[in-house]
Amino acid sequence: MAHVVIVGAGQAGAACAAKLRALGHDGAITMIGAEPAPPYQRPPLSKAYLMGEMEEERLWLRAPEFWAEQDITLRLGAPVTAIDTAARTVTLGAETVAYDELVLTTGSTPRRLPAAIGGDLAGVYTVRTLADVDAMRPEFAAGRRVVIVGGGYIGLEAAAVAAKLGLDVTVLEMAPRILQRVAAPETSAYFRALHTAHGVKVMEETGLDRILGETRVSGVRLANGTELPADFVIVGVGILPGSDLAAAAGIAIDNGIACDAYCHTSAPHVWAAGDCASFPWKEGRLRLESVGNAIDMAEAVAANIMGADTPYVAQPWFWSDQYDCKLQIAGFNAGYDRIVTRGPEGEAVSFWYFRGDDLLAVDAMNDSRAYMVGKRLIETDRSVAPEVVADPATNLKALLKA
Ligand code: FAD
């Protein structure tokens, strides 16, 4: 039976390995990961784990014995440095490992600020790995001042944790509004108000000139010349897909490792899934950065290695926790031309994205029913009239029976 080698022991890698066994693959499986930790989930890194409310073991995707029980060989702390698609081998250290099928689940790396503007000073952090968060966690003491560069979900989640722990928090966003890249103005306004109510200073349309300090952060200077003191800085300005290894091996790249509808790359016997991979979507290509996509795409790879020959049909979903707000997002909002608001009803409010008559996505705050109904409608390619959604008298669940 085929030896499947998986490069990247994260969310997608773990899902692929487990699914291969669940589908009856009885050949060898080797999963190689650059990080020393066993496969773990990242979402709590900017939520409960950062808050100090979760033990490291609870991040692990499987109990340590699972991998041996499933006869999956884990090689941790072992970055793969090269792929030879002709010889069908990967290189780690001085060693060469042969594969029959290769799965690339190399995730992504956070964008960093250049050293020339202070990006390499002590006290500047990114939030991607367990090691990143373990390093920054001691900085989170009440009364300290943190500047968060970037008002995306990860920056805002870190801001929420810092505010809850009593820090003095400033969020800098270069764009006219936080969450601009991923959400409608209504969702941005909701989270701006939420953070402001918790004492966070949200500075939009505010560029960063540089981080100040000799060897360690002492503050930041804004593009308008204003200087803000800071004890530490968190940079949350997006990620770069982990595609360098594939690119060096001559595998086609297009916003990440370019896959076809079956999650196959341009090289024979090489597949990709998760944050590092883009795939055909509507008239173009899409790359998603979410747990749901990492699992579903990785499981699609496993099924196709087992001969399913089934295209991957992404059903995007995402969540974010900030203070007492649980945001759940169903669908993908690109191309929307209309937003409809449902609520607020108590703590619950939802924003529904339409293009013409088509429902594209729903952002639901503390409203799991709106999320669930929106998700089901989108997944089954159904829509609903915008006025019906906005009408508080509408029984959302009844829409699923229509
Ligand atoms: P990863 O889980 O990053 O795994 C990739 C692994 O590959 C890494 O361990 C990396 O070290 C390894 N690797 C890379 N190159 C090599 C190499 N050459 N050799 C060996 N190993 C290599 N998503 C949500 O849906 N909801 C959330 O609330 C949410 N919150 C998040 C909060 C944080 C702080 C972060 C960082 C992410 C969050 N995400 C969330 C996104 C989600 O965690 C990612 O989309 C998901 O982890 C992607 O899985 P992956 O397997 O593609 O990548």
Side-chain angles (χ1 to χ4, degrees):
M1 276 297 279
H3 178 198
V4 180
V5 171
I6 301 171
V7 179
Q11 189 87 54
C16 184
K19 192 70 178 180
L20 280 167
R21 282 288 181 251
L23 292 174
H25 177 74
D26 57 8
I29 301 175
T30 304
M31 183 159 56
I32 306 169
E35 292 181 69
Y40 63 91
Q41 46 166 336
R42 299 190 191 279
L45 294 181
S46 50
K47 308 177 181 77
Y49 186 77
L50 183 59
M51 191 72 197
E53 290 174 343
M54 196 177 186
E55 298 298 315
E56 178 182 332
E57 292 69 27
R58 287 191 45 219
L59 297 174
W60 296 346
L61 291 166
R62 302 282 185 167
E65 55 277 13
F66 172 84
W67 306 105
E69 280 166 12
Q70 294 290 314
D71 199 14
I72 294 166
T73 304
L74 262 190
R75 304 282 306 267
L76 299 174
V80 168
T81 52
I83 303 167
D84 183 334
T85 58
R88 286 203 224 167
T89 58
V90 300
T91 306
L92 55 152
E95 199 183 332
T96 299
V97 177
Y99 65 81
D100 296 301
E101 303 292 335
L102 177 66
V103 185
L104 300 176
T105 53
T106 44
S108 53
T109 50
R111 284 178 196 273
R112 292 172 200 279
L113 297 179
I117 64 161
D120 62 346
L121 289 172
V124 178
Y125 300 94
T126 51
V127 196
R128 181 73 197 176
T129 65
L130 191 50
D132 290 339
V133 176
D134 286 344
M136 83 171 76
R137 185 72 191 77
E139 304 266 15
F140 280 66
R144 287 168 63 77
R145 298 158 302 183
V146 58
V147 170
I148 296 174
V149 183
Y153 285 119
I154 288 179
L156 293 178
E157 288 180 352
V161 170
K164 276 162 82 175
L165 291 173
L167 282 78
D168 177 86
V169 188
T170 303
V171 174
L172 302 182
E173 173 54 61
M174 201 167 65
R177 58 182 175 86
I178 55 170
L179 300 175
Q180 173 157 303
R181 194 176 62 86
V182 289
E186 286 79 350
T187 299
S188 300
Y190 177 95
F191 283 101
R192 183 187 308 115
L194 184 66
H195 280 274
T196 305
H198 284 83
V200 173
K201 290 177 276 302
V202 179
M203 302 178 72
E204 295 166 304
E205 218 158 1
T206 303
L208 174 77
D209 178 45
R210 62 168 300 123
I211 302 175
L212 302 169
E214 291 289 320
T215 53
R216 200 193 143 86
V217 172
S218 61
V220 300
R221 185 161 63 226
L222 308 180
N224 66 11
T226 309
E227 294 191 359
L228 305 177
D231 297 307
F232 69 108
V233 169
I234 297 174
V235 179
V237 293
I239 61 163
L240 296 168
S243 51
D244 290 354
L245 187 66
I251 295 169
I253 305 296
D254 184 352
N255 182 21
I257 302 169
C259 291
D260 65 14
Y262 300 84
C263 314
H264 201 268
T265 72
S266 64
H269 305 285
V270 184
W271 313 75
D275 281 13
C276 67
S278 69
F279 52 86
W281 169 264
K282 300 194 175 169
E283 296 81 37
R285 302 188 69 76
L286 183 63
R287 190 178 57 76
L288 292 169
E289 300 163 8
S290 71
V291 165
N293 176 67
I295 295 172
D296 293 349
M297 195 173 181
E299 293 191 348
V301 167
N304 284 334
I305 288 175
M306 296 298 288
D309 207 21
T310 306
Y312 171 53
V313 181
Q315 302 288 6
W317 59 273
F318 189 80
W319 79 96
S320 176
D321 298 325
Q322 296 168 45
Y323 311 102
D324 293 330
C325 174
K326 178 153 201 83
L327 164 69
Q328 293 170 288
I329 302 173
F332 190 68
N333 64 23
Y336 72 90
D337 54 23
R338 183 170 176 191
I339 299 287
V340 170
T341 301
R342 183 176 169 84
E345 194 186 329
E347 298 291 299
V349 62
S350 53
F351 304 121
W352 299 61
Y353 297 75
F354 289 86
R355 180 171 54 209
D357 294 333
D358 291 338
L359 175 63
L360 300 181
V362 179
D363 291 350
M365 289 79 168
N366 295 323
D367 193 343
S368 51
R369 183 179 303 147
Y371 167 74
M372 190 273 292
V373 170
K375 189 166 189 288
R376 287 283 301 281
L377 289 171
I378 294 163
E379 286 179 0
T380 50
D381 215 8
R382 285 182 285 169
S383 195
V384 55
E387 332 41 274
V388 172
V389 170
D391 183 351
T394 300
N395 174 352
L396 280 184
K397 278 194 176 163
L399 296 176
L400 294 177
K401 297 195 191 102

